[in-house]
């Protein structure tokens, strides 16, 4: 399989010469309505990807199909899930898809069937969670645990936290909220202090998540928690569990109720469907709910195998993003979920996208001459409308928008006010914003003039459930993967997070001079 820089492909040069369709014209009048009905790519679990408000026409789409074919994007996906060494920076396989399904033949690594390994960990977690819920695993006084607290940072926090928040109200409404979940991530002592102050320590399980068992922030917070438990007269070993690798110092350690395992083939930002997310979510909602998340992700992964971009929403979304980044010059993308349950989903995607494709060298360590990953930001609607939408509508930069919307609310608790429900009002805002961004508004007063021509897509679904949440997660993971393939970068390492850690350790060791010493003094570290 050939890995070539994007700008060496024939399709790159073809895309450079294409005229840019005017979305303001494309969505106007009756023809605009027909375009919206036509330009939709199927997804699983009740979703559809609508791209009618994007600056694409049949010529652009055909050229993007040529790019997908020339760059062998679905073939590279097949190589990934079949166990080839796709993470060239760390010389590792990339196997997060195996946590939810076997997409190809069995993957054997380190003498182990990796799908069987991940399933075994899921079963161990499910058994542990069930015993906790049934009162077979209890605290020192024989009482049931009521709260689970995850201690981790980066991918060990953002993904699981986003998924928990997304389903907390759904679980309340459906009677599946088994335990409240909380999260400690920041090494700032105020983070751990605030969580501990609001937690009944005697009835809490703390899950320490660190693949290596050496992550400074996580181990610091673990020590902080253990100290609080001891001060409360509690035995930390009756309140701690671990998610780690089989070779870490946390593995099989008697200081924990149990240890669950992941491996080097699942990166932190892709670990929400592994034991990293499985332990906390199974304890919070029950293992059956976590299994539904996995099923939703698996269904979306299967669709990502389709080489036809018009039938592969993740691939199409990725390619339209490449069109916008490399040929239209847009450097940012806003993620705008019109669901309060997805409040932390943009934060998770910030890490997943920018840590993956924020690279300036290709898979072989050579500089690239084109733009790679965009800046990702976002906020739930309608809050964002009263925040940064001013810049999105009338600012000097055009920023592509990715909306997510649902027909039904999660909890089913709504009321008719002035002839419409709250959910109808929410959805009306989504529809209005898409058209307002695309079509704008003429006005003689410059302050009230909207240029329009601002592109967006929407992933529209029936309701946010465990399965649809899994599908949504997999869609964005696969979109990021396909874009990394196009840009010929290694989307699965994260060297950019390491330098600051190294220098921080030098500061704490007192090994500083120059600017590093001066800033240390400014912050009063010693």
């Amino acid at each position: 399989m050939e890995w070539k820089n994007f700008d060496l492909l024939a399709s790159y040069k073809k895309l450079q010469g294409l005229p840019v369709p005017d979305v303001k014209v494309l969505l106007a009048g009756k023809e605009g309505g027909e375009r919206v009905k036509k330009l939709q790519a199927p997804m699983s679990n009740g979703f559809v990807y609508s791209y009618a408000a994007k600056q694409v026409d049949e010529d652009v789409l055909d050229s993007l199909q040529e790019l997908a074919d020339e760059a062998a994007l679905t073939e590279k996906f097949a190589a990934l899930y079949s166990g080839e060494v796709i993470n060239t920076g760390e010389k590792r396989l990339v196997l997060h898809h195996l946590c939810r399904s076997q997409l190809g033949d069995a993957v054997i690594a380190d003498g182990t069937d990796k799908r069987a390994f991940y399933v075994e960990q899921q079963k161990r977690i499910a058994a542990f969670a069930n015993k906790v819920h049934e009162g077979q695993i209890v605290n020192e006084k024989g009482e049931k645990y009521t709260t689970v607290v995850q201690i981790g940072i980066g991918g060990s926090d953002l993904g699981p936290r986003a998924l928990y928040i997304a389903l907390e109200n759904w679980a309340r409404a459906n009677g599946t909220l088994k335990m409240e979940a909380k999260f400690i991530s920041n090494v700032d002592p105020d983070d751990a202090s605030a969580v501990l102050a609001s937690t009944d320590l005697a009835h809490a399980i703390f899950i320490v998540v660190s693949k290596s068992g050496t992550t400074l922030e996580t181990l610091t917070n673990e020590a902080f928690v253990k100290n609080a438990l001891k001060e409360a007269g509690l035995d930390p070993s009756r309140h701690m569990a671990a998610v780690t690798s089989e070779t870490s110092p946390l593995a099989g350690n008697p200081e924990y109720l149990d240890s669950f395992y992941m491996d080097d083939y699942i990166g932190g930002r892709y670990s929400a469907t592994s034991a990293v997310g499985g332990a906390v979510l199974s304890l919070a909602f029950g293992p059956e709910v976590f299994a539904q998340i996995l099923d939703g992700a698996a269904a979306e992964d299967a669709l990502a195998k389709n080489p036809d971009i018009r039938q592969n929403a993740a691939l199409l979304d990725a390619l339209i993003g490449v069109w916008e980044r490399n040929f239209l010059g847009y450097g940012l993308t806003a993620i705008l979920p019109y669901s309060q349950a997805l409040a932390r989903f943009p934060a998770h995607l910030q890490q997943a996208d920018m840590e993956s494709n924020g690279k300036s060298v290709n898979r072989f360590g050579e500089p690239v001459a084109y733009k790679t990953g965009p800046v990702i930001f976002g906020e739930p609607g309608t809050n964002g409308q009263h925040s940064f939408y001013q810049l999105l509508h009338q600012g000097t930069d055009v920023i592509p928008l990715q909306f997510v919307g649902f027909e039904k609310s999660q909890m089913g608790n709504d009321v008719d006010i002035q002839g419409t429900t709250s959910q109808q009002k929410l959805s009306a805002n989504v529809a209005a914003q898409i058209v307002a961004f695309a079509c704008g508004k003429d006005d003689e007063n410059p302050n009230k003039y909207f240029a329009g021509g601002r592109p967006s897509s929407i992933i529209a679904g029936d309701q946010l459930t465990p399965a649809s949440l899994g599908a949504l997660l997999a869609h964005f993971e696969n979109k990021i993967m396909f874009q990394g393939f196009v840009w010929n970068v290694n989307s699965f390492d994260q060297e950019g997070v390491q330098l600051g850690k190294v220098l921080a350790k030098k500061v704490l060791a007192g090994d500083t001079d120059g600017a590093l010493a001066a800033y240390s003094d400014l912050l009063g570290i010693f």
Side-chain angles (χ1 to χ4, degrees), residues 349-420:
L349 294 181
Q350 282 179 340
Q351 185 202 16
D353 201 310
M354 293 197 285
E355 198 170 85
S356 294
N357 292 334
K359 311 289 172 63
S360 57
V361 297
N362 67 13
R363 296 169 55 80
F364 312 109
E366 304 160 342
V368 297
Y370 44 82
K371 302 293 185 182
T372 58
V375 172
I376 303 295
F377 70 99
E379 183 76 12
T382 57
N383 295 9
Q385 293 177 200
H386 295 270
S387 174
F388 52 79
Y389 275 39
Q390 169 63 48
L391 185 147
L392 298 183
H393 274 293
Q394 293 184 306
T396 54
D397 289 301
V398 174
I399 299 174
L401 317 166
Q402 288 202 306
F403 292 95
V404 181
F406 298 93
E407 182 179 339
K408 301 173 186 174
S409 64
Q410 277 192 313
M411 301 187 75
N413 182 24
D414 207 344
V415 62
D416 190 303
I417 300 173
Q418 297 179 347
T420 56

Side-chain angles (χ1 to χ4, degrees), residues 198-381:
S198 65
T199 300
D200 178 1
L201 298 182
H203 301 93
I205 290 179
F206 295 85
I207 304 175
V208 182
V209 183
S210 172
K211 185 187 300 183
S212 66
T214 61
T215 308
L216 178 63
E217 297 94 335
T218 300
L219 296 186
T220 299
N221 279 326
E222 179 190 19
F224 198 103
V225 168
K226 283 183 174 179
N227 183 66
L229 290 168
K230 291 174 182 176
E231 288 184 347
L234 300 169
D235 177 2
S237 68
R238 299 294 298 270
H239 294 268
M240 311 289 291
V243 174
T244 189
S245 67
E246 292 180 294
T247 57
S248 96
L250 309 185
N253 192 316
E255 294 183 11
Y256 303 101
L257 289 165
D258 210 336
S259 299
F260 308 104
Y261 302 121
M262 52 179 161
D263 57 34
D264 284 336
Y265 307 131
I266 297 177
R269 58 193 175 275
Y270 296 102
S271 66
T273 51
S274 75
V276 172
V280 65
L281 296 174
S282 294
L283 284 166
F285 304 131
E288 298 81 8
V289 171
F290 182 65
Q292 292 171 37
I293 297 173
L294 299 182
D295 289 343
E300 204 60 32
D301 289 340
L303 294 180
K305 298 168 69 173
N306 195 327
D308 181 352
I309 69 169
R310 291 172 173 84
Q311 299 299 314
N312 184 336
L315 179 56
L316 178 58
D317 194 0
L319 291 168
I320 292 175
V322 168
W323 165 245
E324 292 173 333
R325 182 74 174 114
N326 296 104
F327 303 100
L328 306 186
Y330 304 148
L332 300 92
T333 297
I335 309 294
L336 307 171
Y338 275 64
S339 168
Q340 188 61 31
L342 294 174
R344 291 297 291 170
F345 203 69
H348 169 58
L349 294 181
Q350 282 179 340
Q351 185 202 16
D353 201 310
M354 293 197 285
E355 198 170 85
S356 294
N357 292 334
K359 311 289 172 63
S360 57
V361 297
N362 67 13
R363 296 169 55 80
F364 312 109
E366 304 160 342
V368 297
Y370 44 82
K371 302 293 185 182
T372 58
V375 172
I376 303 295
F377 70 99
E379 183 76 12

Side-chain angles (χ1 to χ4, degrees), residues 77-113:
F77 179 34
L80 181 148
Y81 64 67
S82 298
E84 291 194 22
V85 178
I86 299 298
N87 179 351
T88 53
E90 297 168 327
K91 297 180 175 58
R92 292 173 179 168
L93 288 65
V94 177
L95 299 181
H96 54 276
H97 297 90
L98 271 183
C99 289
R100 51 241 196 182
S101 182
Q102 184 84 57
L103 292 173
D105 296 333
V107 176
I108 308 298
D110 306 325
T112 301
D113 181 326

Side-chain angles (χ1 to χ4, degrees), residues 481-504:
M481 172 192 70
F482 283 129
Q483 288 187 330
F485 289 164
V486 171
W487 290 319
N488 197 28
V489 299
N490 180 11
S491 300
F492 303 104
D493 67 6
Q494 57 279 333
E495 292 300 326
V497 308
Q498 301 303 325
L499 177 59
K501 291 183 178 181
V502 172
L503 293 180

